PDB file of all heavy atoms in Angstrom:
ATOM      1  N   TYR Q 154       1.602  -9.477  58.200  1.00  0.00           N
ATOM      2  CA  TYR Q 154       0.984  -9.993  59.426  1.00  0.00           C
ATOM      3  C   TYR Q 154       2.087 -10.465  60.364  1.00  0.00           C
ATOM      4  O   TYR Q 154       3.011 -11.165  59.944  1.00  0.00           O
ATOM      5  CB  TYR Q 154       0.035 -11.153  59.116  1.00  0.00           C
ATOM      6  CG  TYR Q 154      -0.554 -11.741  60.371  1.00  0.00           C
ATOM      7  CD1 TYR Q 154      -1.601 -11.104  61.023  1.00  0.00           C
ATOM      8  CD2 TYR Q 154      -0.026 -12.898  60.923  1.00  0.00           C
ATOM      9  CE1 TYR Q 154      -2.117 -11.621  62.201  1.00  0.00           C
ATOM     10  CE2 TYR Q 154      -0.542 -13.422  62.094  1.00  0.00           C
ATOM     11  CZ  TYR Q 154      -1.580 -12.771  62.722  1.00  0.00           C
ATOM     12  OH  TYR Q 154      -2.086 -13.274  63.892  1.00  0.00           O
ATOM     13  N   THR Q 155       2.015 -10.098  61.622  1.00  0.00           N
ATOM     14  CA  THR Q 155       2.981 -10.531  62.624  1.00  0.00           C
ATOM     15  C   THR Q 155       2.233 -11.196  63.766  1.00  0.00           C
ATOM     16  O   THR Q 155       1.501 -10.529  64.496  1.00  0.00           O
ATOM     17  CB  THR Q 155       3.799  -9.345  63.173  1.00  0.00           C
ATOM     18  OG1 THR Q 155       4.418  -8.666  62.080  1.00  0.00           O
ATOM     19  CG2 THR Q 155       4.860  -9.838  64.146  1.00  0.00           C
ATOM     20  N   PRO Q 156       2.376 -12.506  63.913  1.00  0.00           N
ATOM     21  CA  PRO Q 156       1.678 -13.180  65.014  1.00  0.00           C
ATOM     22  C   PRO Q 156       2.246 -12.791  66.357  1.00  0.00           C
ATOM     23  O   PRO Q 156       3.374 -12.285  66.456  1.00  0.00           O
ATOM     24  CB  PRO Q 156       1.908 -14.663  64.721  1.00  0.00           C
ATOM     25  CG  PRO Q 156       3.153 -14.699  63.926  1.00  0.00           C
ATOM     26  CD  PRO Q 156       3.176 -13.430  63.116  1.00  0.00           C
ATOM     27  N   LYS Q 157       1.477 -13.061  67.389  1.00  0.00           N
ATOM     28  CA  LYS Q 157       1.886 -12.684  68.743  1.00  0.00           C
ATOM     29  C   LYS Q 157       3.223 -13.325  69.115  1.00  0.00           C
ATOM     30  O   LYS Q 157       4.035 -12.729  69.817  1.00  0.00           O
ATOM     31  CB  LYS Q 157       0.819 -13.111  69.747  1.00  0.00           C
ATOM     32  CG  LYS Q 157       1.127 -12.678  71.171  1.00  0.00           C
ATOM     33  CD  LYS Q 157       0.001 -13.061  72.109  1.00  0.00           C
ATOM     34  CE  LYS Q 157       0.322 -12.669  73.531  1.00  0.00           C
ATOM     35  NZ  LYS Q 157      -0.736 -13.052  74.473  1.00  0.00           N
ATOM     36  N   ALA Q 158       3.470 -14.547  68.600  1.00  0.00           N
ATOM     37  CA  ALA Q 158       4.724 -15.238  68.921  1.00  0.00           C
ATOM     38  C   ALA Q 158       5.921 -14.388  68.541  1.00  0.00           C
ATOM     39  O   ALA Q 158       6.899 -14.289  69.284  1.00  0.00           O
ATOM     40  CB  ALA Q 158       4.783 -16.586  68.202  1.00  0.00           C
ATOM     41  N   ASP Q 159       5.866 -13.760  67.360  1.00  0.00           N
ATOM     42  CA  ASP Q 159       6.992 -12.939  66.921  1.00  0.00           C
ATOM     43  C   ASP Q 159       7.147 -11.688  67.774  1.00  0.00           C
ATOM     44  O   ASP Q 159       8.242 -11.148  67.911  1.00  0.00           O
ATOM     45  CB  ASP Q 159       6.806 -12.531  65.458  1.00  0.00           C
ATOM     46  CG  ASP Q 159       7.305 -13.623  64.523  1.00  0.00           C
ATOM     47  OD1 ASP Q 159       7.521 -14.742  65.013  1.00  0.00           O
ATOM     48  OD2 ASP Q 159       7.450 -13.355  63.330  1.00  0.00           O
ATOM     49  N   ARG Q 160       6.058 -11.202  68.341  1.00  0.00           N
ATOM     50  CA  ARG Q 160       6.130  -9.976  69.120  1.00  0.00           C
ATOM     51  C   ARG Q 160       6.738 -10.204  70.493  1.00  0.00           C
ATOM     52  O   ARG Q 160       7.125  -9.267  71.165  1.00  0.00           O
ATOM     53  CB  ARG Q 160       4.718  -9.377  69.261  1.00  0.00           C
ATOM     54  CG  ARG Q 160       4.101  -8.972  67.925  1.00  0.00           C
ATOM     55  CD  ARG Q 160       2.927  -8.026  68.135  1.00  0.00           C
ATOM     56  NE  ARG Q 160       1.811  -8.642  68.831  1.00  0.00           N
ATOM     57  CZ  ARG Q 160       0.815  -9.280  68.236  1.00  0.00           C
ATOM     58  NH1 ARG Q 160       0.823  -9.424  66.899  1.00  0.00           N
ATOM     59  NH2 ARG Q 160      -0.180  -9.794  68.915  1.00  0.00           N
ATOM     60  N   VAL Q 161       6.771 -11.457  70.942  1.00  0.00           N
ATOM     61  CA  VAL Q 161       7.302 -11.718  72.274  1.00  0.00           C
ATOM     62  C   VAL Q 161       8.559 -12.580  72.265  1.00  0.00           C
ATOM     63  O   VAL Q 161       9.241 -12.680  73.265  1.00  0.00           O
ATOM     64  CB  VAL Q 161       6.239 -12.385  73.183  1.00  0.00           C
ATOM     65  CG1 VAL Q 161       5.070 -11.465  73.376  1.00  0.00           C
ATOM     66  CG2 VAL Q 161       5.807 -13.721  72.621  1.00  0.00           C
ATOM     67  N   GLU Q 162       8.861 -13.220  71.124  1.00  0.00           N
ATOM     68  CA  GLU Q 162      10.045 -14.081  71.111  1.00  0.00           C
ATOM     69  C   GLU Q 162      11.330 -13.267  71.259  1.00  0.00           C
ATOM     70  O   GLU Q 162      12.348 -13.789  71.703  1.00  0.00           O
ATOM     71  CB  GLU Q 162      10.090 -14.926  69.841  1.00  0.00           C
ATOM     72  CG  GLU Q 162       9.148 -16.131  69.928  1.00  0.00           C
ATOM     73  CD  GLU Q 162       9.180 -16.980  68.681  1.00  0.00           C
ATOM     74  OE1 GLU Q 162       9.884 -16.623  67.722  1.00  0.00           O
ATOM     75  OE2 GLU Q 162       8.482 -17.998  68.654  1.00  0.00           O
ATOM     76  N   CYS Q 163      11.309 -12.015  70.875  1.00  0.00           N
ATOM     77  CA  CYS Q 163      12.452 -11.120  71.108  1.00  0.00           C
ATOM     78  C   CYS Q 163      12.012  -9.994  72.045  1.00  0.00           C
ATOM     79  O   CYS Q 163      10.946  -9.415  71.879  1.00  0.00           O
ATOM     80  CB  CYS Q 163      12.977 -10.550  69.795  1.00  0.00           C
ATOM     81  SG  CYS Q 163      13.797 -11.793  68.768  1.00  0.00           S
ATOM     82  N   CYS Q 164      12.848  -9.704  73.016  1.00  0.00           N
ATOM     83  CA  CYS Q 164      12.504  -8.714  74.037  1.00  0.00           C
ATOM     84  C   CYS Q 164      12.406  -7.319  73.408  1.00  0.00           C
ATOM     85  O   CYS Q 164      13.309  -6.871  72.689  1.00  0.00           O
ATOM     86  CB  CYS Q 164      13.553  -8.725  75.134  1.00  0.00           C
ATOM     87  SG  CYS Q 164      13.226  -7.517  76.434  1.00  0.00           S
ATOM     88  N   LEU Q 165      11.306  -6.611  73.712  1.00  0.00           N
ATOM     89  CA  LEU Q 165      11.126  -5.262  73.195  1.00  0.00           C
ATOM     90  C   LEU Q 165      12.033  -4.265  73.913  1.00  0.00           C
ATOM     91  O   LEU Q 165      12.267  -3.156  73.432  1.00  0.00           O
ATOM     92  CB  LEU Q 165       9.658  -4.842  73.345  1.00  0.00           C
ATOM     93  CG  LEU Q 165       8.645  -5.679  72.556  1.00  0.00           C
ATOM     94  CD1 LEU Q 165       7.231  -5.197  72.851  1.00  0.00           C
ATOM     95  CD2 LEU Q 165       8.918  -5.593  71.072  1.00  0.00           C
ATOM     96  N   GLU Q 166      12.562  -4.645  75.086  1.00  0.00           N
ATOM     97  CA  GLU Q 166      13.407  -3.745  75.861  1.00  0.00           C
ATOM     98  C   GLU Q 166      14.870  -3.791  75.395  1.00  0.00           C
ATOM     99  O   GLU Q 166      15.519  -2.766  75.220  1.00  0.00           O
ATOM    100  CB  GLU Q 166      13.343  -4.104  77.355  1.00  0.00           C
ATOM    101  CG  GLU Q 166      11.949  -4.053  77.942  1.00  0.00           C
ATOM    102  CD  GLU Q 166      11.416  -2.629  78.008  1.00  0.00           C
ATOM    103  OE1 GLU Q 166      12.239  -1.693  78.052  1.00  0.00           O
ATOM    104  OE2 GLU Q 166      10.186  -2.461  78.013  1.00  0.00           O
ATOM    105  N   CYS Q 167      15.401  -5.036  75.203  1.00  0.00           N
ATOM    106  CA  CYS Q 167      16.829  -5.153  74.883  1.00  0.00           C
ATOM    107  C   CYS Q 167      17.117  -5.963  73.627  1.00  0.00           C
ATOM    108  O   CYS Q 167      18.256  -6.032  73.179  1.00  0.00           O
ATOM    109  CB  CYS Q 167      17.583  -5.770  76.068  1.00  0.00           C
ATOM    110  SG  CYS Q 167      17.176  -7.498  76.370  1.00  0.00           S
ATOM    111  N   GLY Q 168      16.069  -6.615  73.046  1.00  0.00           N
ATOM    112  CA  GLY Q 168      16.254  -7.359  71.814  1.00  0.00           C
ATOM    113  C   GLY Q 168      16.745  -8.776  71.993  1.00  0.00           C
ATOM    114  O   GLY Q 168      16.916  -9.506  71.003  1.00  0.00           O
ATOM    115  N   GLU Q 169      16.999  -9.204  73.243  1.00  0.00           N
ATOM    116  CA  GLU Q 169      17.449 -10.573  73.476  1.00  0.00           C
ATOM    117  C   GLU Q 169      16.296 -11.568  73.271  1.00  0.00           C
ATOM    118  O   GLU Q 169      15.128 -11.221  73.460  1.00  0.00           O
ATOM    119  CB  GLU Q 169      17.977 -10.704  74.921  1.00  0.00           C
ATOM    120  CG  GLU Q 169      19.301 -10.013  75.176  1.00  0.00           C
ATOM    121  CD  GLU Q 169      20.431 -10.680  74.408  1.00  0.00           C
ATOM    122  OE1 GLU Q 169      20.541 -11.920  74.451  1.00  0.00           O
ATOM    123  OE2 GLU Q 169      21.195  -9.947  73.736  1.00  0.00           O
ATOM    124  N   PRO Q 170      16.632 -12.826  72.872  1.00  0.00           N
ATOM    125  CA  PRO Q 170      15.576 -13.849  72.734  1.00  0.00           C
ATOM    126  C   PRO Q 170      14.892 -14.094  74.075  1.00  0.00           C
ATOM    127  O   PRO Q 170      15.547 -14.209  75.107  1.00  0.00           O
ATOM    128  CB  PRO Q 170      16.333 -15.096  72.263  1.00  0.00           C
ATOM    129  CG  PRO Q 170      17.599 -14.575  71.671  1.00  0.00           C
ATOM    130  CD  PRO Q 170      17.950 -13.348  72.455  1.00  0.00           C
ATOM    131  N   MET Q 171      13.561 -14.159  74.039  1.00  0.00           N
ATOM    132  CA  MET Q 171      12.781 -14.399  75.255  1.00  0.00           C
ATOM    133  C   MET Q 171      12.692 -15.906  75.521  1.00  0.00           C
ATOM    134  O   MET Q 171      12.836 -16.731  74.620  1.00  0.00           O
ATOM    135  CB  MET Q 171      11.370 -13.829  75.097  1.00  0.00           C
ATOM    136  CG  MET Q 171      11.313 -12.345  74.808  1.00  0.00           C
ATOM    137  SD  MET Q 171      11.614 -11.333  76.268  1.00  0.00           S
ATOM    138  CE  MET Q 171      10.016 -11.430  77.055  1.00  0.00           C
ATOM    139  N   LYS Q 172      12.405 -16.285  76.766  1.00  0.00           N
ATOM    140  CA  LYS Q 172      12.191 -17.667  77.168  1.00  0.00           C
ATOM    141  C   LYS Q 172      10.701 -17.871  77.455  1.00  0.00           C
ATOM    142  O   LYS Q 172      10.084 -17.094  78.186  1.00  0.00           O
ATOM    143  CB  LYS Q 172      12.999 -17.999  78.438  1.00  0.00           C
ATOM    144  CG  LYS Q 172      14.516 -17.899  78.259  1.00  0.00           C
ATOM    145  CD  LYS Q 172      15.042 -19.033  77.402  1.00  0.00           C
ATOM    146  CE  LYS Q 172      16.568 -19.009  77.367  1.00  0.00           C
ATOM    147  NZ  LYS Q 172      17.104 -20.063  76.480  1.00  0.00           N
ATOM    148  N   ASN Q 173      10.140 -18.931  76.858  1.00  0.00           N
ATOM    149  CA  ASN Q 173       8.730 -19.239  77.091  1.00  0.00           C
ATOM    150  C   ASN Q 173       8.622 -20.100  78.339  1.00  0.00           C
ATOM    151  O   ASN Q 173       9.109 -21.227  78.373  1.00  0.00           O
ATOM    152  CB  ASN Q 173       8.153 -19.983  75.882  1.00  0.00           C
ATOM    153  CG  ASN Q 173       6.652 -20.197  76.020  1.00  0.00           C
ATOM    154  OD1 ASN Q 173       6.071 -19.951  77.077  1.00  0.00           O
ATOM    155  ND2 ASN Q 173       6.026 -20.655  74.960  1.00  0.00           N
ATOM    156  N   ARG Q 174       7.959 -19.551  79.367  1.00  0.00           N
ATOM    157  CA  ARG Q 174       7.804 -20.303  80.609  1.00  0.00           C
ATOM    158  C   ARG Q 174       6.370 -20.810  80.788  1.00  0.00           C
ATOM    159  O   ARG Q 174       5.891 -20.982  81.901  1.00  0.00           O
ATOM    160  CB  ARG Q 174       8.219 -19.435  81.792  1.00  0.00           C
ATOM    161  CG  ARG Q 174       9.731 -19.177  81.803  1.00  0.00           C
ATOM    162  CD  ARG Q 174      10.202 -18.644  83.121  1.00  0.00           C
ATOM    163  NE  ARG Q 174      11.655 -18.688  83.218  1.00  0.00           N
ATOM    164  CZ  ARG Q 174      12.342 -18.207  84.236  1.00  0.00           C
ATOM    165  NH1 ARG Q 174      11.709 -17.622  85.244  1.00  0.00           N
ATOM    166  NH2 ARG Q 174      13.662 -18.302  84.263  1.00  0.00           N
ATOM    167  N   GLY Q 175       5.707 -21.069  79.679  1.00  0.00           N
ATOM    168  CA  GLY Q 175       4.356 -21.625  79.729  1.00  0.00           C
ATOM    169  C   GLY Q 175       3.311 -20.565  79.919  1.00  0.00           C
ATOM    170  O   GLY Q 175       2.536 -20.260  79.014  1.00  0.00           O
ATOM    171  N   SER Q 176       3.270 -19.944  81.122  1.00  0.00           N
ATOM    172  CA  SER Q 176       2.265 -18.919  81.394  1.00  0.00           C
ATOM    173  C   SER Q 176       2.727 -17.525  80.992  1.00  0.00           C
ATOM    174  O   SER Q 176       1.928 -16.587  80.981  1.00  0.00           O
ATOM    175  CB  SER Q 176       1.907 -18.928  82.884  1.00  0.00           C
ATOM    176  OG  SER Q 176       3.061 -18.605  83.652  1.00  0.00           O
ATOM    177  N   HIS Q 177       4.025 -17.368  80.680  1.00  0.00           N
ATOM    178  CA  HIS Q 177       4.522 -16.039  80.342  1.00  0.00           C
ATOM    179  C   HIS Q 177       5.865 -16.162  79.619  1.00  0.00           C
ATOM    180  O   HIS Q 177       6.458 -17.242  79.542  1.00  0.00           O
ATOM    181  CB  HIS Q 177       4.689 -15.188  81.610  1.00  0.00           C
ATOM    182  CG  HIS Q 177       5.718 -15.721  82.553  1.00  0.00           C
ATOM    183  ND1 HIS Q 177       5.490 -16.828  83.340  1.00  0.00           N
ATOM    184  CD2 HIS Q 177       7.003 -15.309  82.819  1.00  0.00           C
ATOM    185  CE1 HIS Q 177       6.581 -17.068  84.057  1.00  0.00           C
ATOM    186  NE2 HIS Q 177       7.508 -16.171  83.757  1.00  0.00           N
ATOM    187  N   TRP Q 178       6.318 -15.019  79.069  1.00  0.00           N
ATOM    188  CA  TRP Q 178       7.633 -14.932  78.432  1.00  0.00           C
ATOM    189  C   TRP Q 178       8.562 -14.110  79.328  1.00  0.00           C
ATOM    190  O   TRP Q 178       8.171 -13.086  79.898  1.00  0.00           O
ATOM    191  CB  TRP Q 178       7.512 -14.253  77.060  1.00  0.00           C
ATOM    192  CG  TRP Q 178       6.777 -15.082  76.051  1.00  0.00           C
ATOM    193  CD1 TRP Q 178       5.433 -15.211  75.916  1.00  0.00           C
ATOM    194  CD2 TRP Q 178       7.355 -15.890  75.040  1.00  0.00           C
ATOM    195  NE1 TRP Q 178       5.125 -16.058  74.887  1.00  0.00           N
ATOM    196  CE2 TRP Q 178       6.289 -16.487  74.321  1.00  0.00           C
ATOM    197  CE3 TRP Q 178       8.663 -16.187  74.660  1.00  0.00           C
ATOM    198  CZ2 TRP Q 178       6.490 -17.341  73.251  1.00  0.00           C
ATOM    199  CZ3 TRP Q 178       8.869 -17.030  73.584  1.00  0.00           C
ATOM    200  CH2 TRP Q 178       7.813 -17.616  72.902  1.00  0.00           C
ATOM    201  N   TRP Q 179       9.819 -14.566  79.427  1.00  0.00           N
ATOM    202  CA  TRP Q 179      10.774 -13.906  80.321  1.00  0.00           C
ATOM    203  C   TRP Q 179      12.095 -13.712  79.581  1.00  0.00           C
ATOM    204  O   TRP Q 179      12.550 -14.579  78.832  1.00  0.00           O
ATOM    205  CB  TRP Q 179      10.992 -14.771  81.553  1.00  0.00           C
ATOM    206  CG  TRP Q 179      12.056 -14.254  82.474  1.00  0.00           C
ATOM    207  CD1 TRP Q 179      11.943 -13.204  83.337  1.00  0.00           C
ATOM    208  CD2 TRP Q 179      13.386 -14.759  82.614  1.00  0.00           C
ATOM    209  NE1 TRP Q 179      13.119 -13.015  84.019  1.00  0.00           N
ATOM    210  CE2 TRP Q 179      14.035 -13.965  83.598  1.00  0.00           C
ATOM    211  CE3 TRP Q 179      14.095 -15.792  82.021  1.00  0.00           C
ATOM    212  CZ2 TRP Q 179      15.346 -14.178  83.987  1.00  0.00           C
ATOM    213  CZ3 TRP Q 179      15.403 -16.009  82.404  1.00  0.00           C
ATOM    214  CH2 TRP Q 179      16.030 -15.212  83.375  1.00  0.00           C
ATOM    215  N   CYS Q 180      12.693 -12.532  79.760  1.00  0.00           N
ATOM    216  CA  CYS Q 180      13.956 -12.200  79.094  1.00  0.00           C
ATOM    217  C   CYS Q 180      15.120 -12.410  80.062  1.00  0.00           C
ATOM    218  O   CYS Q 180      15.200 -11.720  81.092  1.00  0.00           O
ATOM    219  CB  CYS Q 180      13.948 -10.758  78.603  1.00  0.00           C
ATOM    220  SG  CYS Q 180      15.534 -10.260  77.872  1.00  0.00           S
ATOM    221  N   PRO Q 181      16.026 -13.346  79.731  1.00  0.00           N
ATOM    222  CA  PRO Q 181      17.183 -13.555  80.615  1.00  0.00           C
ATOM    223  C   PRO Q 181      18.187 -12.409  80.535  1.00  0.00           C
ATOM    224  O   PRO Q 181      19.061 -12.276  81.401  1.00  0.00           O
ATOM    225  CB  PRO Q 181      17.800 -14.860  80.096  1.00  0.00           C
ATOM    226  CG  PRO Q 181      17.374 -14.930  78.664  1.00  0.00           C
ATOM    227  CD  PRO Q 181      16.023 -14.277  78.588  1.00  0.00           C
ATOM    228  N   GLY Q 182      18.083 -11.549  79.492  1.00  0.00           N
ATOM    229  CA  GLY Q 182      19.017 -10.448  79.336  1.00  0.00           C
ATOM    230  C   GLY Q 182      18.743  -9.308  80.291  1.00  0.00           C
ATOM    231  O   GLY Q 182      19.618  -8.883  81.054  1.00  0.00           O
ATOM    232  N   CYS Q 183      17.512  -8.796  80.277  1.00  0.00           N
ATOM    233  CA  CYS Q 183      17.182  -7.637  81.130  1.00  0.00           C
ATOM    234  C   CYS Q 183      16.130  -7.953  82.177  1.00  0.00           C
ATOM    235  O   CYS Q 183      15.768  -7.081  82.974  1.00  0.00           O
ATOM    236  CB  CYS Q 183      16.724  -6.471  80.261  1.00  0.00           C
ATOM    237  SG  CYS Q 183      15.131  -6.755  79.451  1.00  0.00           S
ATOM    238  N   GLY Q 184      15.601  -9.179  82.161  1.00  0.00           N
ATOM    239  CA  GLY Q 184      14.622  -9.555  83.182  1.00  0.00           C
ATOM    240  C   GLY Q 184      13.202  -9.164  82.865  1.00  0.00           C
ATOM    241  O   GLY Q 184      12.319  -9.286  83.721  1.00  0.00           O
ATOM    242  N   SER Q 185      12.928  -8.664  81.656  1.00  0.00           N
ATOM    243  CA  SER Q 185      11.564  -8.293  81.291  1.00  0.00           C
ATOM    244  C   SER Q 185      10.657  -9.521  81.375  1.00  0.00           C
ATOM    245  O   SER Q 185      10.984 -10.587  80.859  1.00  0.00           O
ATOM    246  CB  SER Q 185      11.544  -7.727  79.871  1.00  0.00           C
ATOM    247  OG  SER Q 185      10.236  -7.387  79.504  1.00  0.00           O
ATOM    248  N   ASP Q 186       9.528  -9.349  82.083  1.00  0.00           N
ATOM    249  CA  ASP Q 186       8.620 -10.471  82.343  1.00  0.00           C
ATOM    250  C   ASP Q 186       7.244 -10.107  81.800  1.00  0.00           C
ATOM    251  O   ASP Q 186       6.578  -9.223  82.337  1.00  0.00           O
ATOM    252  CB  ASP Q 186       8.564 -10.716  83.852  1.00  0.00           C
ATOM    253  CG  ASP Q 186       7.884 -12.036  84.197  1.00  0.00           C
ATOM    254  OD1 ASP Q 186       7.158 -12.548  83.324  1.00  0.00           O
ATOM    255  OD2 ASP Q 186       8.073 -12.530  85.316  1.00  0.00           O
ATOM    256  N   LEU Q 187       6.829 -10.771  80.692  1.00  0.00           N
ATOM    257  CA  LEU Q 187       5.587 -10.384  80.033  1.00  0.00           C
ATOM    258  C   LEU Q 187       4.385 -11.080  80.655  1.00  0.00           C
ATOM    259  O   LEU Q 187       3.733 -11.922  80.069  1.00  0.00           O
ATOM    260  CB  LEU Q 187       5.664 -10.681  78.539  1.00  0.00           C
ATOM    261  CG  LEU Q 187       6.737  -9.898  77.770  1.00  0.00           C
ATOM    262  CD1 LEU Q 187       6.583 -10.117  76.285  1.00  0.00           C
ATOM    263  CD2 LEU Q 187       6.633  -8.421  78.080  1.00  0.00           C
ATOM    264  N   ARG Q 188       4.107 -10.731  81.907  1.00  0.00           N
ATOM    265  CA  ARG Q 188       2.848 -11.104  82.559  1.00  0.00           C
ATOM    266  C   ARG Q 188       2.066  -9.824  82.798  1.00  0.00           C
ATOM    267  O   ARG Q 188       2.657  -8.748  82.996  1.00  0.00           O
ATOM    268  CB  ARG Q 188       3.108 -11.802  83.880  1.00  0.00           C
ATOM    269  CG  ARG Q 188       3.633 -13.216  83.726  1.00  0.00           C
ATOM    270  CD  ARG Q 188       3.889 -13.847  85.072  1.00  0.00           C
ATOM    271  NE  ARG Q 188       4.995 -13.209  85.777  1.00  0.00           N
ATOM    272  CZ  ARG Q 188       5.480 -13.643  86.944  1.00  0.00           C
ATOM    273  NH1 ARG Q 188       4.955 -14.695  87.531  1.00  0.00           N
ATOM    274  NH2 ARG Q 188       6.482 -13.015  87.517  1.00  0.00           N
ATOM    275  N   THR Q 189       0.763  -9.926  82.807  1.00  0.00           N
ATOM    276  CA  THR Q 189      -0.052  -8.725  83.058  1.00  0.00           C
ATOM    277  C   THR Q 189      -0.830  -8.931  84.340  1.00  0.00           C
ATOM    278  O   THR Q 189      -1.769  -9.727  84.387  1.00  0.00           O
ATOM    279  CB  THR Q 189      -1.025  -8.485  81.893  1.00  0.00           C
ATOM    280  OG1 THR Q 189      -0.274  -8.381  80.695  1.00  0.00           O
ATOM    281  CG2 THR Q 189      -1.827  -7.205  82.112  1.00  0.00           C
ATOM    282  N   PRO Q 190      -0.456  -8.264  85.438  1.00  0.00           N
ATOM    283  CA  PRO Q 190      -1.195  -8.422  86.700  1.00  0.00           C
ATOM    284  C   PRO Q 190      -2.517  -7.673  86.665  1.00  0.00           C
ATOM    285  O   PRO Q 190      -2.882  -7.066  85.667  1.00  0.00           O
ATOM    286  CB  PRO Q 190      -0.240  -7.819  87.732  1.00  0.00           C
ATOM    287  CG  PRO Q 190       0.537  -6.807  86.952  1.00  0.00           C
ATOM    288  CD  PRO Q 190       0.681  -7.360  85.564  1.00  0.00           C
TER     289      PRO Q 190
END
């Protein structure tokens, strides 16, 4: 089982640790922003 936290804590694009900004996760490495418009 893999909770959602594990799926977003590392960037799927570059593998860098993601930053939790409350409403979304953001990757400081490549700029990937996990919001869904």
Side-chain angles (χ1 to χ4, degrees):
Y154 177 78
T155 305
K157 184 177 178 181
D159 276 14
R160 297 197 295 270
V161 297
E162 281 180 357
C163 290
C164 179
L165 297 177
E166 302 292 335
C167 68
E169 288 293 312
M171 301 283 281
K172 297 289 186 183
N173 186 351
R174 291 195 167 176
S176 62
H177 64 285
W178 292 81
W179 174 76
C180 176
C183 68
S185 179
D186 192 341
L187 297 188
R188 287 179 292 185
T189 303

